[in-house]
Amino acid sequence: MQLLTSTASLIGLGLVIFYVIVQRIRDYSRTKHIPGPFWAGWTDLWMIRGQLGGRMCFLLAETNEKYGPIAKIAPRWVVCGDGAELRRIWGVRSAWQRSPWYKGLRFDRNLDNAFSTLDDNAHEALRAKLMPGYGGKDVENLHEQIDKQVAGLVNLLETKYLSTKTKSKPVDLARKVQYFTLDVISALAFGTELGYLAADKDLHDYIHTTESTLPIMLATAFMPTLLATIQSPRLKWLIPDVRNMAGIGSVLGVAHDAVAKRFGDKALVKKDMLGSFVAHGLTKQEAEAETVVQIIAGSDTSATAIRSTLLFIMTNPLVYNRLQAEIDAGIKEGRISSPITDTEARNLPYLQAVIREGLRLWPPATAVLPKISTTDQVVCGVHIPAGTHVAWAPFSFLRNKDTFGEDADMFKPERWLDVDPAKYRAMDQTVMMEFASGSRWECLGKTVAQIELNKTYVELLRRFDFQLVDPTNPWKSYNAAVFIQSDMNVIITKREI
Ligand code: HEM
C-alpha cells in the first residue's frame, strides 16, 4: 500500500515537472523575439531576485538601457521604458487591464481595495465613491489640516533638533519626514492625526513592520499561484495570514478602530475623507480596506518625494540659493503668507520647477504596475503575445534624453524655465505620468500630495538651513516598489533673517 502511494506521488510530481517544463518552453518560444537577459527568458527568479535585492527600479532602467525600450524580464513579463507607449497602454480606452499582480496589493486578505480591484467596471464604481473624499471636495479644512502637520514638523525640528555654531545635533530627516506624511494622511483619513510628530517615534512599530513586510509582500505578487493560495478563503484555516504575521496587522487594527466609530447606532459623522467615503456608500468592510490603502499609498510616496528633493536641493548649492532667494523675495514682497497657501506656491516658478525636477529624477512610485491584454498587441514595434505582463520603468522614461535633454540625468530645475510651451507640456505630461495622470488609474491622492509638496519646502527653507552630515553617503535607500529610506543625517540651523 505504502509502495503504491509513493509511486503515485512520484508520478504526480513527475507530471507537474513535465507540465512546468512544457509551459516554460511554450512561453520561451512565444517571446524569443523579445530581447532581455538570458535567464529572464526561462525563469521568474531573475525578476524576483531583483525585487528582493532592493534596486528593482534601477535594474529595470538598466535593462531598458541595455536591451531597448521593450525588454523581457521573466517568461511572461516585459518592461517598457517608453513614455509615449506607456501613456497609450495606460490610456482610458486602451485594450489593456491591470494584471493579476495587483492582487498582491490586497492588504486585507478578505477584501479588494482601489489598488487590487482588477475589473474595470467595479474599479470605476469604487473610484466614483472615493473621488470626492480624496479630491478634497468633501473634506473640511483640507489645507488647514495639512498646514497643521507642516507646523508640527517645523515645531519638532525647532524644539529638538536645532544645531548651533558650537554644537552639532545630527537628525535623521528621512524619519521625521515620514512622521510628517503619516500624520498628514491619518489626519485627513480619520480626522485626527496618529501623532507621530508629537511622539517623535515609530508608533505601533508601523514603519519598522511595513519596511520588513513590503519587500516580501511585493515579491509574492510575482507568484500568482502562491498569492492565490495565501488569499484563498478555503485555505484560511491552514495557512497563517502572512500580512498579520509580518506586522501589517497593527495598521489594520488602527484603521478598523477608526472605521468602527463611523458605523452603527451612534455613528460619528465627520466631514473628512472617511466621512465622505461613508456618505458615498462605502460599506464598513470597504471603508476598512480603503483606509489601509490610504496610509500605505499616501505616506511612503510623499515622504520619498520630499526626502529626495531635499537631498537634491542640499547637494546643488546653485539650486539651493536660487530657491531660497525666490522664497525670501516672495515673503518680502507679500506674495507668501505664513504658512504659504497652495495658490501662492503654484505662482512660484522656481519652486514648481524644483518640485517637478525632484519627482522626475527620483520618482517615488516605482512598483512594476503591470498591465495585460487578452489579445496580441504591438508595443514599441514589438509583437507582445496576449497574456504578457507589461511593467513600467519610471527611471527609464523620466530620464529620457529626447524628452528632457542630453543632461536628463542631472538635477536641473532650470530645464523647466524659459522653455517653449509645447516642450514644457511634453515634459510635464511625462512627469505627471508618475501619478498615472491621464489614465483610468490616476492617483487619487495627487491633490493631497501636491499640496504637501507645495507647502513643505517653503515652510522649511524659510526658517532653516540644511546641511548633510556626510554628502558622500547621504542616506540608506532600498527600493521595494516604494522606497525605504533612512539615515539621512542632516544638521539643521536656524536662519538669521
Ligand atoms: C508623490 C506622491 C505620490 C505618487 C507619485 C503616487 C503615484 C501613484 C500611482 C502611479 C498610482 C497608480 C497605480 C496603478 O493603478 O497602477 C497611484 C494610485 C493611487 N494613489 Fe497615489 N501617489 C502619491 C501619493 C498619494 C497619496 C498622498 C495618496 C493618498 C492620499 C495616494 C493614494 C492613491 C490611491 C488610493 C491610488 C489608487 C487609485 C486607483 O486605483 O484608482 N497617493 N498613485
Side-chain angles (χ1 to χ4, degrees):
M1 182 66 189
Q2 203 178 0
L3 185 68
L4 257 175
T5 318
S6 315
T7 314
S9 308
L10 275 178
I11 293 174
L13 184 66
L15 284 173
V16 170
I17 294 172
F18 178 72
Y19 174 77
V20 170
I21 292 173
V22 170
Q23 280 287 332
R24 280 290 177 254
I25 293 173
R26 198 183 74 117
D27 289 342
Y28 181 80
S29 55
R30 270 157 45 101
T31 57
K32 66 173 186 291
H33 60 286
I34 305 175
F38 174 77
W39 286 111
W42 290 101
T43 166
D44 294 342
L45 290 178
W46 184 90
M47 182 172 67
I48 292 166
R49 206 186 58 167
Q51 171 68 28
L52 290 173
R55 52 182 315 277
M56 182 67 160
C57 61
F58 304 110
L59 194 64
L60 294 179
E62 285 156 18
T63 308
N64 281 144
E65 178 84 31
K66 187 163 176 191
Y67 297 98
I70 278 283
K72 191 156 42 180
I73 53 170
R76 283 164 160 256
W77 283 72
V78 297
V79 59
C80 177
D82 183 295
E85 283 293 75
L86 284 164
R87 240 189 337 271
R88 184 176 65 76
I89 292 170
W90 285 55
V92 177
R93 271 174 288 279
S94 87
W96 298 82
Q97 308 293 322
R98 276 175 167 171
S99 100
W101 174 90
Y102 281 84
K103 284 285 172 202
L105 303 180
R106 204 180 195 209
F107 304 115
D108 186 331
R109 172 167 68 177
N110 301 314
L111 198 67
D112 275 317
N113 56 53
F115 276 111
S116 66
T117 303
L118 304 188
D119 176 75
D120 260 354
N121 293 333
H123 181 247
E124 205 180 309
L126 181 58
R127 269 180 80 90
K129 293 180 195 169
L130 299 175
M131 247 185 285
Y134 273 112
K137 204 165 83 58
D138 281 4
V139 182
E140 216 166 48
N141 307 332
L142 177 79
H143 292 255
E144 290 78 359
Q145 289 267 26
I146 298 176
D147 285 340
K148 185 178 163 208
Q149 306 316 323
V150 178
L153 175 63
V154 167
N155 182 55
L156 174 65
L157 301 182
E158 192 146 42
T159 53
K160 284 179 79 173
Y161 296 107
L162 278 192
S163 291
T164 61
K165 279 187 187 128
T166 50
K167 191 160 185 281
S168 292
K169 234 187 199 184
V171 49
D172 179 1
L173 196 58
R175 273 288 176 269
K176 308 307 168 196
V177 166
Q178 195 163 11
Y179 294 166
F180 162 68
T181 55
L182 277 164
D183 273 353
V184 169
I185 195 62
S186 53
L188 295 176
F190 311 144
T192 320
E193 67 273 10
L194 285 167
Y196 282 89
L197 287 168
D200 192 20
K201 66 172 189 190
D202 180 9
L203 293 171
H204 315 286
D205 225 14
Y206 167 77
I207 298 175
H208 172 73
T209 51
T210 47
E211 284 182 354
S212 49
T213 309
L214 276 178
I216 298 161
M217 204 173 148
L218 270 297
T220 317
F222 289 115
M223 300 176 246
T225 315
L226 178 61
L227 197 61
T229 311
I230 290 166
Q231 293 178 345
S232 157
R234 278 207 207 113
L235 294 180
K236 213 172 178 171
W237 60 274
L238 183 65
I239 304 208
D241 186 342
V242 284
R243 282 141 182 82
N244 279 340
M245 255 172 53
I248 288 271
S250 57
V251 195
L252 289 174
V254 174
H256 289 196
D257 286 350
V259 172
K261 294 191 184 119
R262 308 302 177 95
F263 289 85
D265 292 342
K266 290 184 189 153
L268 182 67
V269 179
K270 271 188 159 186
K271 288 206 101 190
D272 54 14
M273 271 193 202
L274 188 49
S276 167
F277 297 165
V278 176
H280 286 88
L282 242 63
T283 64
K284 183 162 175 275
Q285 261 203 321
E286 285 173 334
E288 282 170 359
E290 240 29 79
T291 44
V292 181
V293 170
Q294 279 174 296
I295 296 192
I296 294 183
S299 58
D300 288 321
T301 43
S302 305
T304 298
I306 295 171
R307 292 171 190 141
S308 51
T309 305
L310 281 173
L311 177 62
F312 292 134
I313 293 171
M314 281 188 270
T315 48
N316 285 278
L318 296 180
V319 174
Y320 195 138
N321 291 341
R322 191 166 175 181
L323 179 60
Q324 223 163 31
E326 181 177 71
I327 294 168
D328 291 351
I331 293 169
K332 205 165 151 208
E333 291 158 21
R335 288 181 284 111
I336 295 181
S337 321
S338 186
I340 188 166
T341 67
D342 189 54
T343 314
E344 288 167 350
R346 283 173 196 272
N347 285 322
L348 296 177
Y350 200 66
L351 172 69
Q352 292 307 315
V354 167
I355 290 174
R356 277 167 177 69
E357 194 66 354
L359 285 170
R360 182 186 76 77
L361 208 60
W362 201 274
T366 49
V368 286
L369 306 180
K371 304 295 178 284
I372 198 164
S373 168
T374 49
T375 52
D376 286 7
Q377 299 287 332
V378 174
V379 179
C380 297
V382 177
H383 175 248
I384 305 292
T388 306
H389 302 247
V390 179
W392 79 340
F395 273 85
S396 291
F397 68 83
L398 290 173
R399 293 185 181 209
N400 182 288
K401 293 193 168 57
D402 293 337
T403 316
F404 295 103
E406 278 307 308
D407 53 4
D409 288 328
M410 266 181 76
F411 183 74
K412 191 177 144 197
E414 281 69 16
R415 77 178 79 251
W416 295 90
L417 305 173
D418 303 324
V419 61
D420 169 60
K423 173 91 181 151
Y424 185 96
R425 255 197 317 280
M427 293 200 300
D428 194 47
Q429 207 178 30
T430 309
V431 167
M432 289 305 146
M433 276 175 68
E434 182 46 19
F435 289 104
S437 295
S439 84
R440 283 165 269 178
W441 305 290
E442 180 172 34
C443 172
L444 283 165
K446 184 177 167 187
T447 308
V448 171
Q450 286 182 321
I451 301 173
E452 285 180 287
L453 304 187
N454 278 339
K455 289 175 183 271
T456 309
Y457 308 124
V458 174
E459 292 306 312
L460 291 180
L461 291 172
R462 76 195 289 172
R463 293 179 171 82
F464 308 123
D465 268 322
F466 293 85
Q467 192 184 359
L468 281 165
V469 170
D470 183 358
T472 63
N473 187 19
W475 61 11
K476 282 194 186 131
S477 183
Y478 179 100
N479 182 251
V482 289
F483 279 99
I484 295 171
Q485 295 169 323
S486 65
D487 297 79
M488 184 178 169
N489 295 315
V490 300
I491 296 293
I492 306 175
T493 44
K494 190 138 179 83
R495 287 186 68 201
E496 286 162 15
I497 40 171

